Amino acid sequence: MSAAEGPLVVGVDTSTQSTKALVVDAATGRVVASGQAPHTVSSGAGRESDPRQWWDALCEALRQCGEAAHEAAAVSIGGQQHGLVTLDARGEPVRPALLWNDVRSAPHARRLIEELGGPKAWAERTGSVPSASFTVTKWAWLAENEPEAVRATKAVRLPHDYLTERLTGEGTTDRGDASGTGWWAAGTEAYDEETLARVGLDPALLPRVVRPGEVAGTVRGGHDLPFATGTLVAPGTGDNAAAALGLGVSPGVPVMSLGTSGTVYAVTRHRPADPTGTVAGFADARGDWLPLACTLNCTLAVDRVATLLGLDREAVEPCADVTLLPYLDGERTPNLPSASGLLHGLRHDTTGGQLLQAAYDGAVHALLGALDLVLGADADPSAPLLLIGGGARGTAWQQTVRRLSGRPVQIPEARELVALGAAAQAAGLLTGEDAAAVARRWNTAAGPVLDAVERDEATLSRISGVLSDAAPLLERSAPTR
């Protein structure tokens, strides 16, 4: 490993399936070491993980980074949003964390929306209309189904908060991740007392919200990590806000992330409030806003279809008549939490490759349908769509997005943007810079631009028609989990 030009920082991405760590040169953005370790998600009635796995995975990922991790001057953690982590008086998990893609709380989301003034009131108060992904609905589910766990809970945290607290010994979060809970008010940028009272959650159990650029704490002694005691710890943030930092995106530039879930988002200086609930009005990690739409079914669902067909994920063929809505985990956009997948237009001459392409089309259609709402007044029609996440490297994903969006598509060469965004946050503590400015200095968004092609209006119209006709069936196609 060659000598670094500046101090080293560590950025972490604790996602649904694994934890990744990057050691980055704060001066140049060069990744000097990296590591990754998996964790498991339950496959039963819900989607849960033991938070202690995340810590073990972080330890292993940093061990893989070798000596470089020992030299880090600052660290920051980005993590999957919305997850409900309940801790006892000793800081140990009361039960496994309820993850963002656990949709058992869908009835509680509907109930909370009705009890607290309806969708418009929620959008104005918190920036978002809560779905089953939001933490507040998960707490309501827990209170109804496991009251003994609620009684044992002495602290409530989000996934990135849990790891940050194990590093520092202090309960902190940031505005970006707090804005995805449903109990943080966007207008006042503080916890909302009315919402907390409605779900019976004592605000004393919640972490302090750290301001952008503020030090969340320092690494305490007696830990299993390679950091020196006193190493600076940045606030961290949710994964989408961290990826936005990692790209250094400017207002109006659209981003589509293709991972286990799919997201479209853009930075804006205007506080969003979409009463339809399609767009979540999240805060970003800098002081601006990050309107975002999310689908539950993206690369994992399409890969599952490929596996069922016995095909490589790239073995697509053009299709003109078949529609596949890959809602294998229920769906958030459109809001059909109890749905299952739906296939329409199957004929004798339909091929496996056409079915696979239809799965790609169905996944991308849901994301593009929300893009105009996400961009709003800050839309930059000339800006390429930044395509990130694991799926962005796949030719079939790239071509599907180009064909259905009609926009130029840019593929940033930088990988692990959530961890890079966290690293930029850590670097900002050392230099006093805005974290997004750090990422722009690192040139993380650089990458090839694929020219725009004519938008495939026929396919978009066909999928919209099937979805509209099938909506009543989809809403009752699977029991609420």
Side-chain angles (χ1 to χ4, degrees), residues 245-279:
L245 284 182
L247 287 165
V249 291
S250 300
V253 176
V255 181
M256 179 181 288
S257 177
L258 304 173
T260 303
S261 64
T263 56
V264 286
Y265 56 84
V267 172
T268 178
R269 296 197 169 95
H270 311 287
R271 182 166 69 88
D274 175 18
T276 72
T278 301
V279 176

Side-chain angles (χ1 to χ4, degrees), residues 1 8-10 23 32-33 62-74 223-229 231:
M1 183 182 73
L8 297 180
V9 294
V10 169
V23 183
V32 301
L62 288 167
R63 186 195 66 76
Q64 294 172 20
C65 292
E67 288 301 314
H70 291 267
E71 301 174 26
H223 54 80
D224 302 322
L225 301 181
F227 305 128
T229 301
T231 299

Side-chain angles (χ1 to χ4, degrees), residues 63-150:
R63 186 195 66 76
Q64 294 172 20
C65 292
E67 288 301 314
H70 291 267
E71 301 174 26
V75 58
S76 183
I77 295 172
Q80 55 179 306
Q81 291 183 260
H82 304 307
L84 175 63
V85 180
T86 51
L87 304 176
D88 63 19
R90 298 175 297 116
E92 293 294 324
V94 171
R95 68 178 314 286
L98 293 167
L99 302 186
W100 61 273
N101 54 349
D102 187 313
V103 298
R104 286 177 289 181
S105 62
H108 304 79
R110 291 191 290 269
R111 193 180 312 154
L112 285 171
I113 292 168
E114 294 170 1
E115 291 174 351
L116 285 171
K120 187 173 186 292
W122 270 95
E124 291 174 349
R125 182 192 303 113
T126 70
S128 305
V129 181
S131 69
S133 296
F134 280 57
T135 324
V136 67
T137 72
K138 299 181 188 304
W139 177 261
W141 180 91
L142 193 68
E144 180 177 306
N145 290 277
E146 299 181 16
E148 69 286 354
V150 167

Side-chain angles (χ1 to χ4, degrees), residues 158 160-161 173-185 191 209 238:
L158 297 165
H160 108 261
D161 305 342
T173 191
D174 90 300
R175 70 190 294 270
D177 220 1
S179 68
T181 60
W183 54 57
W184 184 85
Y191 292 127
V209 182

Side-chain angles (χ1 to χ4, degrees), residues 208-247:
R208 177 173 66 91
V209 182
V210 178
R211 296 186 304 274
E214 182 184 349
V215 175
T218 58
V219 174
R220 60 179 173 173
H223 54 80
D224 302 322
L225 301 181
F227 305 128
T229 301
T231 299
L232 295 178
V233 180
T237 192
D239 51 4
N240 290 297
L245 284 182
L247 287 165

